[in-house]
Amino acid sequence: MPTTLSNRSFTSRSTTNLTEKQQIAKQVVANIPDGCTLFLGIGTTIAAIAEHLSAHKHLRVVTNNYQAAHILAQFEQVETWIAGGRMRTNDGDVVGDHVANFFGQFSADIGIVCCAAVNLASSVTDQPALEPQKEEFALEHKLREAAVSQAILAGSQQRWLVANSTKWQSKASARVAPLTYFDRVYGRPTG
């Protein structure tokens, strides 16, 4: 299988770039107000964000990320909702149409998603005669992952992306959203 179609296991990814993921998580959590509803998507950086929410009060968190839900279940002040369905063994999450529908039952103040890659892609246009414009997109390896992230973003007042340095200029083929769609992007390389 081409490397752009699959991801390494959650366990393997959770130990890669750990310091950077923890720094991103701390930046994100510093901007989350008490008393809000959060959507948390899949990924190891999302699980790191969950670890740092222990000091927050009166949060409602809706997620399909098993690791994040497991961490949050330890915090009495965080009401945690997790999507049901078949757990992906290697990834520690649940994806599929039923998960997108699950997120559709809630409205979030902030939706936070991760991605497999951030790279240039042609913008979709309804005028095929025009030369396609390239812009940066958050991308996933599989359509069902992208669909869940899109559902999270659609139901959120604020849309945040977290992407550590390994994601920038990586390859994946399923579009989540252009970077211009996000209110905040964490982990963007400088320079």
Side-chain angles (χ1 to χ4, degrees):
M1 182 179 305
T3 58
T4 59
L5 299 180
S6 62
N7 206 351
R8 296 178 300 130
S9 73
F10 185 94
T11 303
S12 172
R13 288 180 288 127
S14 66
T15 59
T16 305
N17 299 312
L18 186 58
T19 302
E20 181 184 7
K21 291 175 185 179
Q22 290 294 325
Q23 290 171 341
I24 291 170
K26 288 176 185 174
Q27 291 171 357
V28 169
V29 169
N31 290 302
I32 295 172
D34 286 336
C36 73
T37 297
L38 291 177
F39 285 169
L40 295 179
I42 63 175
T44 57
T45 305
I46 299 290
I49 290 167
E51 291 173 8
H52 293 282
L53 288 172
S54 62
H56 278 66
K57 295 177 178 63
H58 310 294
L59 291 181
R60 171 179 284 164
V61 178
V62 181
T63 188
N64 63 320
N65 184 322
Y66 173 78
Q67 294 300 326
H70 180 71
I71 292 162
L72 293 168
Q74 301 171 53
F75 310 145
E76 284 187 32
Q77 74 283 11
V78 178
E79 177 185 308
T80 306
W81 290 75
I82 187 165
R86 182 181 173 270
M87 184 175 312
R88 297 191 305 166
T89 309
N90 258 358
D91 299 299
D93 59 38
V94 181
V95 296
D97 293 340
H98 59 286
V99 176
N101 293 336
F102 174 76
F103 278 104
Q105 296 178 67
F106 297 89
S107 177
D109 299 297
I110 303 167
I112 306 172
V113 298
C114 201
C115 64
V118 176
N119 211 329
L120 289 175
S122 296
S123 296
V124 177
T125 178
D126 57 357
Q127 299 176 350
L130 296 177
E131 186 172 327
Q133 300 295 311
K134 298 268 187 185
E135 66 179 309
E136 286 185 309
F137 273 82
L139 304 162
E140 280 294 355
H141 291 295
K142 300 186 187 282
L143 282 175
R144 63 182 181 236
E145 296 167 343
V148 171
S149 290
Q150 290 166 350
I152 288 170
L153 299 173
S156 302
Q157 293 178 31
Q158 287 279 311
R159 296 170 297 275
W160 297 1
L161 174 69
V162 294
N164 71 66
S165 61
T166 64
K167 309 298 181 174
W168 298 85
Q169 305 312 312
S170 290
K171 297 217 180 251
S173 59
R175 294 172 192 242
V176 174
L179 289 196
T180 55
Y181 186 70
F182 293 94
D183 299 293
R184 296 185 187 197
V185 177
Y186 292 89
R188 184 190 304 261
T190 56

